[in-house]
Amino acid sequence: MSVDAQTRSANHRLSLEEARRYRAQGFLVRKAQFDALEIDALIGAVEDTAKAALAGIEAVQDTRSYVLDGKRFVDLDHITVQFEPPPFDPAIKVIEPVCELHPRLDALLDDARLTAPIRDILGSEAIGLWTNKLNLKRPRAGSGFGWHQDSPYWIHDCGHVDLLPNVMVVLDDASRANGCFEVIRGSHREGCLPGTDDGSQLGGFYTDPSRFDPGNAVALEVPAGSLVFFDPHIVHGSAPNTSDHPRRALVITYQPAGHPTLKSRRIRNIR
Ligand SMILES: O=C(O)CCC(=O)C(=O)O
C-alpha cells in the first residue's frame, strides 16, 4: 500500500465504539461519506451499466432466461439480471455482480471508506471480494425485498459464511416512502435461521417470521452517500418504492483475501 493509501485507510478505521456497536447490533451507519459530485458519478455509472445490460440481453441470443415466483431472471454469462415483476418488467430490479461492468464501480471496491471498516470487521488487513450487486428501485415501480438473511443463500458456496460482511452504498436519499433499507436489530446473533415453507419457489430464502421480532426493525432513513455496514446473518429487507423518487443502492460483500468470488469464481483481492 502507498503511504497515501495507508493514510486514507487509517482515517476511515472503526472507532472502538463503532466496532462494539456493529458487533452488538449487526449493522453500522456512516452518514454522507460520499459528496454530491461523487454520487452523481456513481449514479451515471450505474445507469450506463443498467442500459448496457438491457442492450446486451436484447443483442445476445444465448442468454438463459427463467421465471421464479413470477419474477424474470436472465443470466448473461455469470451475471444475473433480475427484472421487476409485471407490469413493470423490463425495469431492472437487481444486477449481480455489477462492479466489473464499469471502471468507476470497479474502483469503488477498493475505496478506503468501504474497505477500512471492513478490515476492522474482519480483523484482517488482507481482504477480497465475495460478491456485489446493484439494487434499483424505480419510482412507483420498485418492489420490496421480503425479510431474509444473506447467509442461507451463500452457505452452499462458501465455507466461511460468518466472514462475509456487506456494505450498502446509498445512492439516493432513502426514506420509508421510497423503500429504504431495513434491518432487524440484533438478529445476526442467531446465525442461519430456517426459511419459510409456503410452497413458493423462493420461499425457503425468506426467514421464518416466527424466528425474529419485527418490533426490532430499524428503517434506515439516511441521506445519499451514506454507507450501511451489515452482518451476513442479519435479517433485513425493504418495502416497495411508493414515491416519485428512485432508491438506488450498491451492496458490496467482502471476505478474507485469497478466496474466489461467488459467481465468476475468480479471485478479486482488495488493493
Ligand atoms: O436493497 C434493499 O433494500 C434490500 C437488499 C437486499 O435485501 C439484498 O440485496 O439482499
PDB file of all heavy atoms in Angstrom, residues 12 35 37 41 57 67 92 98 134 136 161 164 190 201 241 243-245 254-255 260:
ATOM      1  N   HIS A  12     -10.263   6.066   7.993  1.00  0.00           N
ATOM      2  CA  HIS A  12     -11.621   5.504   7.940  1.00  0.00           C
ATOM      3  C   HIS A  12     -11.808   4.298   8.856  1.00  0.00           C
ATOM      4  O   HIS A  12     -12.845   3.650   8.801  1.00  0.00           O
ATOM      5  CB  HIS A  12     -11.967   5.139   6.493  1.00  0.00           C
ATOM      6  CG  HIS A  12     -11.958   6.333   5.581  1.00  0.00           C
ATOM      7  ND1 HIS A  12     -12.913   7.325   5.656  1.00  0.00           N
ATOM      8  CD2 HIS A  12     -11.089   6.720   4.626  1.00  0.00           C
ATOM      9  CE1 HIS A  12     -12.637   8.265   4.762  1.00  0.00           C
ATOM     10  NE2 HIS A  12     -11.537   7.922   4.138  1.00  0.00           N
ATOM     11  N   ASP A  35     -19.630  12.716  -1.413  1.00  0.00           N
ATOM     12  CA  ASP A  35     -20.269  14.016  -1.659  1.00  0.00           C
ATOM     13  C   ASP A  35     -21.117  13.963  -2.935  1.00  0.00           C
ATOM     14  O   ASP A  35     -21.135  12.945  -3.652  1.00  0.00           O
ATOM     15  CB  ASP A  35     -19.233  15.146  -1.662  1.00  0.00           C
ATOM     16  CG  ASP A  35     -18.268  15.058  -2.840  1.00  0.00           C
ATOM     17  OD1 ASP A  35     -18.636  14.489  -3.880  1.00  0.00           O
ATOM     18  OD2 ASP A  35     -17.134  15.564  -2.710  1.00  0.00           O
ATOM     19  N   LEU A  37     -20.926  15.299  -5.870  1.00  0.00           N
ATOM     20  CA  LEU A  37     -20.251  15.050  -7.157  1.00  0.00           C
ATOM     21  C   LEU A  37     -19.926  13.568  -7.323  1.00  0.00           C
ATOM     22  O   LEU A  37     -20.107  12.989  -8.399  1.00  0.00           O
ATOM     23  CB  LEU A  37     -18.948  15.854  -7.238  1.00  0.00           C
ATOM     24  CG  LEU A  37     -19.075  17.297  -7.696  1.00  0.00           C
ATOM     25  CD1 LEU A  37     -17.713  17.972  -7.712  1.00  0.00           C
ATOM     26  CD2 LEU A  37     -19.730  17.362  -9.086  1.00  0.00           C
ATOM     27  N   ALA A  41     -21.443  10.845 -10.086  1.00  0.00           N
ATOM     28  CA  ALA A  41     -20.601   9.989 -10.940  1.00  0.00           C
ATOM     29  C   ALA A  41     -21.004   8.518 -10.781  1.00  0.00           C
ATOM     30  O   ALA A  41     -21.089   7.768 -11.771  1.00  0.00           O
ATOM     31  CB  ALA A  41     -19.135  10.183 -10.587  1.00  0.00           C
ATOM     32  N   ILE A  57     -28.784  -7.917 -23.276  1.00  0.00           N
ATOM     33  CA  ILE A  57     -29.774  -9.004 -23.232  1.00  0.00           C
ATOM     34  C   ILE A  57     -30.514  -9.080 -24.567  1.00  0.00           C
ATOM     35  O   ILE A  57     -30.784 -10.165 -25.076  1.00  0.00           O
ATOM     36  CB  ILE A  57     -30.736  -8.794 -22.046  1.00  0.00           C
ATOM     37  CG1 ILE A  57     -29.994  -9.095 -20.747  1.00  0.00           C
ATOM     38  CG2 ILE A  57     -31.989  -9.655 -22.178  1.00  0.00           C
ATOM     39  CD1 ILE A  57     -30.720  -8.686 -19.496  1.00  0.00           C
ATOM     40  N   VAL A  67     -38.154 -17.946 -14.971  1.00  0.00           N
ATOM     41  CA  VAL A  67     -39.093 -17.195 -14.133  1.00  0.00           C
ATOM     42  C   VAL A  67     -39.253 -17.955 -12.818  1.00  0.00           C
ATOM     43  O   VAL A  67     -39.514 -19.156 -12.815  1.00  0.00           O
ATOM     44  CB  VAL A  67     -40.458 -17.045 -14.853  1.00  0.00           C
ATOM     45  CG1 VAL A  67     -41.481 -16.378 -13.940  1.00  0.00           C
ATOM     46  CG2 VAL A  67     -40.285 -16.233 -16.137  1.00  0.00           C
ATOM     47  N   ILE A  92     -35.309  -3.075 -14.474  1.00  0.00           N
ATOM     48  CA  ILE A  92     -34.356  -3.952 -13.773  1.00  0.00           C
ATOM     49  C   ILE A  92     -34.477  -3.738 -12.268  1.00  0.00           C
ATOM     50  O   ILE A  92     -34.549  -2.614 -11.788  1.00  0.00           O
ATOM     51  CB  ILE A  92     -32.910  -3.666 -14.240  1.00  0.00           C
ATOM     52  CG1 ILE A  92     -32.721  -4.083 -15.710  1.00  0.00           C
ATOM     53  CG2 ILE A  92     -31.900  -4.376 -13.357  1.00  0.00           C
ATOM     54  CD1 ILE A  92     -31.345  -3.752 -16.277  1.00  0.00           C
ATOM     55  N   VAL A  98     -22.038  -6.623 -10.480  1.00  0.00           N
ATOM     56  CA  VAL A  98     -22.191  -5.452 -11.341  1.00  0.00           C
ATOM     57  C   VAL A  98     -20.902  -4.636 -11.480  1.00  0.00           C
ATOM     58  O   VAL A  98     -20.664  -4.020 -12.520  1.00  0.00           O
ATOM     59  CB  VAL A  98     -23.345  -4.565 -10.823  1.00  0.00           C
ATOM     60  CG1 VAL A  98     -22.977  -3.884  -9.514  1.00  0.00           C
ATOM     61  CG2 VAL A  98     -23.803  -3.543 -11.837  1.00  0.00           C
ATOM     62  N   LEU A 134     -26.269  -4.393  -7.715  1.00  0.00           N
ATOM     63  CA  LEU A 134     -26.937  -3.098  -7.869  1.00  0.00           C
ATOM     64  C   LEU A 134     -28.416  -3.344  -7.665  1.00  0.00           C
ATOM     65  O   LEU A 134     -29.015  -4.174  -8.361  1.00  0.00           O
ATOM     66  CB  LEU A 134     -26.684  -2.571  -9.290  1.00  0.00           C
ATOM     67  CG  LEU A 134     -27.530  -1.372  -9.729  1.00  0.00           C
ATOM     68  CD1 LEU A 134     -27.235  -0.145  -8.867  1.00  0.00           C
ATOM     69  CD2 LEU A 134     -27.247  -1.052 -11.211  1.00  0.00           C
ATOM     70  N   LEU A 136     -31.915  -1.544  -7.913  1.00  0.00           N
ATOM     71  CA  LEU A 136     -32.572  -0.348  -8.470  1.00  0.00           C
ATOM     72  C   LEU A 136     -34.029  -0.391  -8.056  1.00  0.00           C
ATOM     73  O   LEU A 136     -34.732  -1.337  -8.395  1.00  0.00           O
ATOM     74  CB  LEU A 136     -32.516  -0.400 -10.003  1.00  0.00           C
ATOM     75  CG  LEU A 136     -31.160  -0.230 -10.673  1.00  0.00           C
ATOM     76  CD1 LEU A 136     -31.276  -0.533 -12.162  1.00  0.00           C
ATOM     77  CD2 LEU A 136     -30.640   1.184 -10.457  1.00  0.00           C
ATOM     78  N   VAL A 161     -19.079 -18.551   5.916  1.00  0.00           N
ATOM     79  CA  VAL A 161     -20.227 -17.664   5.716  1.00  0.00           C
ATOM     80  C   VAL A 161     -20.349 -16.592   6.814  1.00  0.00           C
ATOM     81  O   VAL A 161     -20.947 -15.534   6.591  1.00  0.00           O
ATOM     82  CB  VAL A 161     -21.499 -18.525   5.517  1.00  0.00           C
ATOM     83  CG1 VAL A 161     -22.039 -19.007   6.843  1.00  0.00           C
ATOM     84  CG2 VAL A 161     -22.537 -17.802   4.711  1.00  0.00           C
ATOM     85  N   LEU A 164     -18.523 -12.766   5.837  1.00  0.00           N
ATOM     86  CA  LEU A 164     -18.933 -12.120   4.589  1.00  0.00           C
ATOM     87  C   LEU A 164     -19.685 -10.811   4.898  1.00  0.00           C
ATOM     88  O   LEU A 164     -20.881 -10.684   4.621  1.00  0.00           O
ATOM     89  CB  LEU A 164     -19.827 -13.069   3.769  1.00  0.00           C
ATOM     90  CG  LEU A 164     -19.220 -14.426   3.385  1.00  0.00           C
ATOM     91  CD1 LEU A 164     -20.254 -15.312   2.688  1.00  0.00           C
ATOM     92  CD2 LEU A 164     -18.000 -14.252   2.494  1.00  0.00           C
ATOM     93  N   GLU A 190     -28.335 -14.960  15.916  1.00  0.00           N
ATOM     94  CA  GLU A 190     -28.966 -16.285  15.818  1.00  0.00           C
ATOM     95  C   GLU A 190     -28.298 -17.180  14.784  1.00  0.00           C
ATOM     96  O   GLU A 190     -28.667 -18.335  14.634  1.00  0.00           O
ATOM     97  CB  GLU A 190     -30.448 -16.134  15.429  1.00  0.00           C
ATOM     98  CG  GLU A 190     -31.263 -15.258  16.361  1.00  0.00           C
ATOM     99  CD  GLU A 190     -31.329 -15.821  17.761  1.00  0.00           C
ATOM    100  OE1 GLU A 190     -31.433 -17.052  17.897  1.00  0.00           O
ATOM    101  OE2 GLU A 190     -31.252 -15.014  18.715  1.00  0.00           O
ATOM    102  N   GLN A 201     -41.416 -21.025  -4.899  1.00  0.00           N
ATOM    103  CA  GLN A 201     -40.086 -21.470  -5.317  1.00  0.00           C
ATOM    104  C   GLN A 201     -38.976 -20.828  -4.486  1.00  0.00           C
ATOM    105  O   GLN A 201     -37.958 -21.449  -4.213  1.00  0.00           O
ATOM    106  CB  GLN A 201     -39.872 -21.134  -6.805  1.00  0.00           C
ATOM    107  CG  GLN A 201     -40.687 -22.053  -7.711  1.00  0.00           C
ATOM    108  CD  GLN A 201     -40.744 -21.525  -9.134  1.00  0.00           C
ATOM    109  OE1 GLN A 201     -41.256 -20.444  -9.386  1.00  0.00           O
ATOM    110  NE2 GLN A 201     -40.215 -22.298 -10.050  1.00  0.00           N
ATOM    111  N   ASN A 241     -41.092   0.807  -3.428  1.00  0.00           N
ATOM    112  CA  ASN A 241     -40.956   2.261  -3.611  1.00  0.00           C
ATOM    113  C   ASN A 241     -42.308   2.816  -4.058  1.00  0.00           C
ATOM    114  O   ASN A 241     -42.727   2.613  -5.198  1.00  0.00           O
ATOM    115  CB  ASN A 241     -39.876   2.550  -4.668  1.00  0.00           C
ATOM    116  CG  ASN A 241     -39.617   4.025  -4.817  1.00  0.00           C
ATOM    117  OD1 ASN A 241     -40.332   4.852  -4.236  1.00  0.00           O
ATOM    118  ND2 ASN A 241     -38.604   4.374  -5.601  1.00  0.00           N
ATOM    119  N   SER A 243     -42.971   6.060  -3.905  1.00  0.00           N
ATOM    120  CA  SER A 243     -42.754   7.504  -4.077  1.00  0.00           C
ATOM    121  C   SER A 243     -42.426   7.835  -5.532  1.00  0.00           C
ATOM    122  O   SER A 243     -42.317   6.948  -6.379  1.00  0.00           O
ATOM    123  CB  SER A 243     -41.590   7.957  -3.191  1.00  0.00           C
ATOM    124  OG  SER A 243     -40.358   7.613  -3.819  1.00  0.00           O
ATOM    125  N   ASP A 244     -42.226   9.116  -5.790  1.00  0.00           N
ATOM    126  CA  ASP A 244     -41.820   9.564  -7.129  1.00  0.00           C
ATOM    127  C   ASP A 244     -40.307   9.662  -7.252  1.00  0.00           C
ATOM    128  O   ASP A 244     -39.798  10.223  -8.221  1.00  0.00           O
ATOM    129  CB  ASP A 244     -42.441  10.941  -7.426  1.00  0.00           C
ATOM    130  CG  ASP A 244     -43.951  10.849  -7.537  1.00  0.00           C
ATOM    131  OD1 ASP A 244     -44.432   9.816  -8.037  1.00  0.00           O
ATOM    132  OD2 ASP A 244     -44.641  11.793  -7.093  1.00  0.00           O
ATOM    133  N   HIS A 245     -39.594   9.145  -6.268  1.00  0.00           N
ATOM    134  CA  HIS A 245     -38.131   9.271  -6.272  1.00  0.00           C
ATOM    135  C   HIS A 245     -37.479   7.894  -6.331  1.00  0.00           C
ATOM    136  O   HIS A 245     -37.970   6.954  -5.702  1.00  0.00           O
ATOM    137  CB  HIS A 245     -37.662   9.992  -5.002  1.00  0.00           C
ATOM    138  CG  HIS A 245     -38.333  11.322  -4.835  1.00  0.00           C
ATOM    139  ND1 HIS A 245     -38.001  12.416  -5.593  1.00  0.00           N
ATOM    140  CD2 HIS A 245     -39.359  11.700  -4.027  1.00  0.00           C
ATOM    141  CE1 HIS A 245     -38.783  13.424  -5.251  1.00  0.00           C
ATOM    142  NE2 HIS A 245     -39.622  13.021  -4.309  1.00  0.00           N
ATOM    143  N   TYR A 254     -17.615  -8.447   1.163  1.00  0.00           N
ATOM    144  CA  TYR A 254     -16.188  -8.787   1.211  1.00  0.00           C
ATOM    145  C   TYR A 254     -15.985 -10.112   1.951  1.00  0.00           C
ATOM    146  O   TYR A 254     -16.921 -10.677   2.533  1.00  0.00           O
ATOM    147  CB  TYR A 254     -15.416  -7.668   1.905  1.00  0.00           C
ATOM    148  CG  TYR A 254     -15.405  -6.368   1.115  1.00  0.00           C
ATOM    149  CD1 TYR A 254     -16.353  -5.371   1.361  1.00  0.00           C
ATOM    150  CD2 TYR A 254     -14.457  -6.139   0.123  1.00  0.00           C
ATOM    151  CE1 TYR A 254     -16.343  -4.176   0.642  1.00  0.00           C
ATOM    152  CE2 TYR A 254     -14.436  -4.951  -0.599  1.00  0.00           C
ATOM    153  CZ  TYR A 254     -15.378  -3.973  -0.336  1.00  0.00           C
ATOM    154  OH  TYR A 254     -15.374  -2.795  -1.046  1.00  0.00           O
ATOM    155  N   GLN A 255     -14.728 -10.586   1.942  1.00  0.00           N
ATOM    156  CA  GLN A 255     -14.341 -11.814   2.644  1.00  0.00           C
ATOM    157  C   GLN A 255     -12.828 -11.738   2.878  1.00  0.00           C
ATOM    158  O   GLN A 255     -12.169 -10.848   2.346  1.00  0.00           O
ATOM    159  CB  GLN A 255     -14.708 -13.034   1.792  1.00  0.00           C
ATOM    160  CG  GLN A 255     -13.955 -13.109   0.461  1.00  0.00           C
ATOM    161  CD  GLN A 255     -14.266 -14.360  -0.349  1.00  0.00           C
ATOM    162  OE1 GLN A 255     -14.649 -15.387   0.207  1.00  0.00           O
ATOM    163  NE2 GLN A 255     -14.089 -14.283  -1.670  1.00  0.00           N
ATOM    164  N   PRO A 260     -12.214 -17.407  -3.984  1.00  0.00           N
ATOM    165  CA  PRO A 260     -12.925 -16.998  -5.201  1.00  0.00           C
ATOM    166  C   PRO A 260     -14.206 -16.237  -4.898  1.00  0.00           C
ATOM    167  O   PRO A 260     -14.811 -16.409  -3.831  1.00  0.00           O
ATOM    168  CB  PRO A 260     -13.255 -18.335  -5.884  1.00  0.00           C
ATOM    169  CG  PRO A 260     -13.119 -19.379  -4.844  1.00  0.00           C
ATOM    170  CD  PRO A 260     -12.193 -18.859  -3.783  1.00  0.00           C
TER     171      PRO A 260
END
